[in-house]
């Protein structure tokens, strides 16, 4: 068995130790330890080992008798239950005694039921690893897609996982629920998500949601985006396809969607750079394009708002006295003022023309009242200095330490932030936003073992100290014109 290195300091994040061999000379499974809330060590960016622990079960070859034993256990465990109470979370069962039901399901080859249940505990299925926005505050240091790593899960592997879950639950008479919620993205924008099959067919985020069937109600959040280029007909159609998909479900059965608004989008960040260089015309052009991009997103999703579906703002900022980059809370409020103005202008143009989104002045006024209220009530959260955002702060140690104390308090009250991240190659990474660690658990994907992007929050990365203070803002190489992103 491959054993990952054990951190031998007081701030270990993942402990992985082989247990002693059993009498049958079969190695017992590994013990996993996941960081939980505790005192925060600023220097190392770790949580000490006050942990949520998981110990895997003994792994032996499965035979027909294992299936029979698992069947008998399930029947005895559920014989007195009311049928209306199903499905019941797998946490209510002894998953070792369910071992055998997974026999012959290819995607679960080599895994015990306990391991499968652990991997599917609030999983985030990373359909894509990468993002073309390259926002300068990204905690995950998301970078553009690359041919050097497996950045897109294959459609066959995603389908095999979903079909495998459904098959396993079916074998357990749909009385056992393997997971209650899941995510489909982390370091990517939903508008960019694409999977391909062996024939070259492309499947977007909506196509993947359709594959989930009724389990779509477990996806949370449903959709995140920072908008898309007004020049991109493909992305506009993709957004409208998403709206149609949601409206075919009851909106109250689906989770919210988020639109990211912040001064750290590469387009706006470069606008500030040009502004500081004295090129006011270019800066203004970029700021307007960014505002129009966001306004278009809000208007495209307006049919959801009219059907009582929540469209939310996703935003974090740095207070202006903690950064000298010009990318701060004051810039955020300037952005939303522009966005509201562009929404008003676009809706008025629609009313006098195509009437795709509003048919009456009263309807237009109602939407603007909604947006005014949304922007007025929403207060952006403070940005934490982790990942790429570290370079944006004035490196006054007291300010950074204070922000990290805030971060500790957030995590202390949210232990469910311990997430299971499933890479495009099927490998499991354990994560708590600011820290993540690899494991040797993998689903049996066709792409199993292929290299994937490392997370910026993995142990080797988070142990690095804050970099030197930079003058101005991050300047990405390869800035490709005014539109940015996709």
């Amino acid at each position: 068995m491959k054993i990952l290195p054990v951190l031998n300091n007081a701030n270990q994040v993942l402990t992985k130790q082989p247990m002693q061999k059993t009498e049958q000379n079969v190695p017992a499974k590994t013990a996993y330890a996941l960081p939980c809330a505790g005192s925060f060590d600023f220097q190392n960016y770790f949580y000490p080992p006050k942990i949520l622990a998981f110990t895997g079960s003994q792994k032996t070859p499965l035979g027909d008798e294992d299936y029979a034993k698992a069947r008998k256990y399930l029947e005895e465990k559920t014989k007195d239950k009311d049928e209306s109470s199903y499905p019941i979370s797998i946490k209510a069962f002894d998953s070792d005694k369910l071992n055998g039901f997974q026999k012959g399901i290819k995607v679960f080859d080599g895994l015990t039921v306990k391991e499968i249940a652990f991997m599917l505990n609030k999983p985030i299925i990373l359909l894509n690893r990468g993002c073309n926005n390259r926002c300068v505050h990204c905690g995950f240091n998301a970078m553009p897609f690359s041919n050097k790593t497996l950045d897109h899960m294959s459609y066959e592997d995603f389908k095999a996982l979903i079909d495998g879950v459904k098959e396993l639950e079916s074998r357990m008479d749909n009385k056992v629920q393997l997971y209650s919620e899941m995510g489909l993205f982390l370091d990517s924008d939903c508008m960019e998500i694409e999977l391909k099959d062996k024939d070259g067919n492309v499947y977007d985020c909506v196509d993947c949601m359709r594959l989930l069937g009724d389990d779509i109600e477990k996806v949370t959040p449903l959709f995140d985006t920072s908008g898309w280029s007004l020049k991109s007909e493909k992305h506009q159609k993709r957004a409208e396809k998403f709206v149609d998909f949601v409206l075919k479900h009851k909106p109250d059965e689906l989770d919210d969607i988020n639109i990211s608004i912040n001064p750290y989008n590469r387009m706006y960040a470069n606008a500030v750079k040009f502004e500081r260089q004295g090129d006011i015309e270019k800066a203004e052009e970029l700021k307007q394009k960014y505002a129009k991009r966001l306004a278009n997103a809000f208007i495209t999703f307006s049919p959801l708002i009219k059907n009582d579906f929540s469209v939310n703002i996703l935003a974090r900022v740095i207070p202006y006295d903690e950064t000298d980059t010009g990318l701060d809370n004051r810039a955020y409020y300037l952005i939303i003022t522009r966005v509201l103005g562009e929404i008003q202008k676009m809706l008025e143009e629609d009313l006098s023309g195509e009437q795709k989104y509003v048919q009456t002045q009263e309807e237009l006024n109602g939407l603007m009242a909604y947006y005014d209220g949304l922007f007025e009530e929403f207060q952006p959260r403070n940005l934490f200095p982790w990942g790429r955002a570290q370079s944006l702060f004035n490196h006054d140690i007291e300010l950074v330490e204070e922000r990290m104390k805030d971060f500790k308090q957030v995590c202390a009250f949210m232990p469910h932030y311990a997430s299971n991240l499933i890479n495009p190659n099927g490998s499991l990474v354990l994560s708590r936003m600011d820290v993540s660690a690899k494991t040797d658990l993998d689903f049996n994907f066709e792409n199993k073992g292929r290299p994937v992007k490392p997370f910026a929050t993995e142990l080797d990365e988070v142990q690095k100290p804050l970099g030197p203070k930079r003058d101005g803002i991050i300047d990405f190489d390869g800035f490709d014109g005014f539109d940015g992103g996709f």
Side-chain angles (χ1 to χ4, degrees):
M1 178 190 299
K2 184 177 79 172
I3 302 300
L4 301 184
V6 177
L7 300 175
N8 54 11
N9 60 50
N11 297 314
Q12 57 190 0
V13 176
L14 176 69
T15 301
K16 194 168 186 207
Q17 297 272 24
M19 303 173 73
Q20 292 186 355
K21 293 186 177 182
T22 65
E23 294 179 1
Q24 295 85 5
N25 204 33
V26 178
K29 272 306 295 177
T30 301
Y32 292 87
L34 188 62
C36 188
S39 60
F40 194 81
D41 184 339
F42 167 72
Q43 295 298 325
N44 292 313
Y45 280 48
F46 288 127
Y47 285 92
K50 182 179 179 183
I51 61 175
L52 300 172
F54 167 81
T55 302
S57 57
Q58 181 176 305
K59 188 181 293 187
T60 57
L62 294 173
D64 293 338
E65 66 279 6
D66 294 297
Y67 188 95
K69 288 178 182 178
R71 166 61 58 190
K72 182 178 180 180
Y73 167 73
L74 180 64
E75 290 174 352
E76 291 177 351
K77 184 75 173 177
T78 60
K79 63 182 179 181
D80 297 325
K81 295 282 186 181
D82 190 302
E83 290 294 325
S84 63
S85 64
Y86 299 125
I88 302 171
S89 170
I90 195 169
K91 296 177 183 179
F93 297 84
D94 183 342
S95 53
D96 282 333
K97 294 182 179 180
L98 292 172
N99 212 40
F101 277 114
Q102 80 277 29
K103 182 184 177 184
I105 302 177
K106 185 177 179 182
V107 74
F108 297 142
D109 280 356
L111 295 171
T112 66
V113 168
K114 179 175 283 188
E115 289 170 333
I116 295 167
F118 178 65
M119 295 177 76
L120 292 174
N121 180 34
K122 298 181 179 179
I124 301 179
I125 313 298
L126 302 176
L127 299 177
N128 283 184
R129 290 291 314 281
C131 181
N132 288 327
N133 286 315
R134 286 184 284 181
C135 297
V136 299
H137 72 317
C138 182
F140 296 102
N141 285 4
M143 295 301 291
F145 298 106
S146 168
N147 293 325
K148 297 179 180 179
T149 52
L150 182 66
D151 293 348
H152 301 264
M153 187 175 292
S154 75
Y155 183 74
E156 286 85 1
D157 280 337
F158 180 59
K159 188 175 188 302
L161 178 58
I162 300 306
D163 289 348
V165 169
K166 292 178 180 178
E167 172 64 18
L168 183 52
E169 289 182 336
S170 175
R171 291 183 182 188
M172 295 185 288
D173 303 327
N174 292 314
K175 294 178 178 179
V176 182
Q177 185 180 64
L178 289 173
Y179 68 91
S180 59
E181 62 181 75
M182 72 155 57
L184 296 176
F185 54 89
L186 184 68
D187 53 350
S188 58
D189 189 301
C190 289
M191 289 299 297
E192 286 189 286
I193 288 177
E194 291 183 354
L195 275 61
K196 288 185 179 180
D197 63 19
K198 293 178 179 178
D199 296 324
N201 298 309
V202 176
Y203 302 84
D204 59 28
C205 195
V206 171
D207 298 323
C208 295
M209 290 177 182
R210 284 177 176 152
L211 190 61
L212 293 172
D214 292 338
D215 280 356
I216 182 61
E217 297 171 15
K218 300 177 184 177
V219 175
T220 174
L222 190 62
F223 201 86
D224 279 8
T225 185
S226 60
W228 54 93
S229 171
L230 272 65
K231 297 178 181 178
S232 176
E233 184 178 349
K234 178 181 78 171
H235 289 97
Q236 184 64 34
K237 288 182 177 179
R238 186 172 288 178
E240 292 171 1
K241 177 181 176 180
F242 171 74
V243 171
D244 292 340
F245 171 76
V246 172
L247 291 178
K248 289 179 180 178
H249 294 76
K250 292 182 179 179
D252 58 355
E253 293 179 354
L254 299 178
D255 200 21
D256 301 342
I257 66 172
N258 302 311
I259 297 178
S260 176
I261 303 179
N262 61 77
Y264 311 107
N265 180 280
R266 186 172 57 136
M267 190 185 303
Y268 191 88
N270 276 282
V272 174
K273 180 189 72 174
F274 291 135
E275 191 171 56
R276 291 189 167 192
Q277 292 174 348
D279 195 337
I280 304 302
E281 183 178 349
K282 189 177 292 185
E284 181 64 21
E285 182 175 355
L286 274 174
K287 289 180 179 181
Q288 278 302 107
K289 286 196 172 185
Y290 182 51
K292 288 180 179 180
R293 170 180 176 140
L294 291 169
N296 178 63
F298 277 103
I299 291 174
T300 301
F301 294 139
S302 62
L304 302 180
I305 295 169
K306 290 189 281 188
N307 283 273
D308 299 322
F309 189 85
S310 295
V311 176
N312 300 319
I313 297 173
L314 189 64
R316 291 187 183 276
V317 296
I318 303 175
Y320 71 90
D321 58 348
E322 295 183 22
T323 180
D324 58 7
T325 62
L327 307 177
D328 51 37
N329 57 333
R330 294 181 299 187
Y332 167 78
Y333 289 108
L334 292 174
I335 290 170
I336 63 173
T337 299
R338 284 179 182 262
V339 172
L340 280 171
E342 290 299 324
I343 292 175
Q344 177 87 36
K345 188 184 303 182
M346 288 182 179
L347 287 177
E348 288 174 351
E349 290 175 357
D350 181 62
L351 179 60
S352 62
E354 187 179 359
Q355 296 191 353
K356 184 176 181 178
Y357 298 104
V358 289
Q359 288 75 47
T360 66
Q361 185 64 45
E362 182 180 8
E363 195 174 6
L364 188 155
N365 294 341
L367 267 180
M368 286 307 304
Y370 174 89
Y371 291 128
D372 284 336
L374 178 65
F375 284 105
E376 183 177 349
E377 293 174 12
F378 178 81
Q379 295 297 319
R381 298 177 182 178
N382 283 338
L383 182 66
F384 299 118
W386 59 290
R388 212 176 274 161
Q390 293 177 0
S391 300
L392 299 172
F393 283 80
N394 297 332
H395 287 173
D396 181 322
I397 196 68
E398 292 181 1
L399 287 175
V400 178
E401 284 184 328
E402 189 62 34
R403 184 63 66 242
M404 295 311 267
K405 287 179 183 177
D406 292 345
F407 192 18
K408 170 201 160 184
Q409 291 174 357
V410 170
C411 291
F413 288 101
M414 297 185 177
H416 62 278
Y417 267 22
S419 299
N420 290 355
L421 311 181
I422 310 299
N423 266 315
N425 63 0
S427 63
L428 173 68
V429 173
L430 307 181
S431 176
R432 275 191 57 92
M433 293 178 64
D434 63 322
V435 159
S436 59
K438 299 175 183 177
T439 76
D440 65 352
L441 290 180
D442 303 81
F443 288 118
N444 189 33
F445 283 3
E446 291 182 1
N447 286 300
K448 180 178 177 179
R450 288 188 59 185
V452 293
K453 281 185 170 75
F455 285 95
T457 52
E458 286 177 14
L459 301 184
D460 291 342
E461 297 296 321
V462 297
Q463 292 183 82
K464 294 177 182 177
L466 288 172
K469 181 177 177 180
R470 301 191 185 194
D471 294 327
I473 65 172
I474 295 175
D475 184 13
F476 285 102
D477 293 331
F479 172 61
D480 51 2
F482 296 155
D483 224 4
F486 54 94

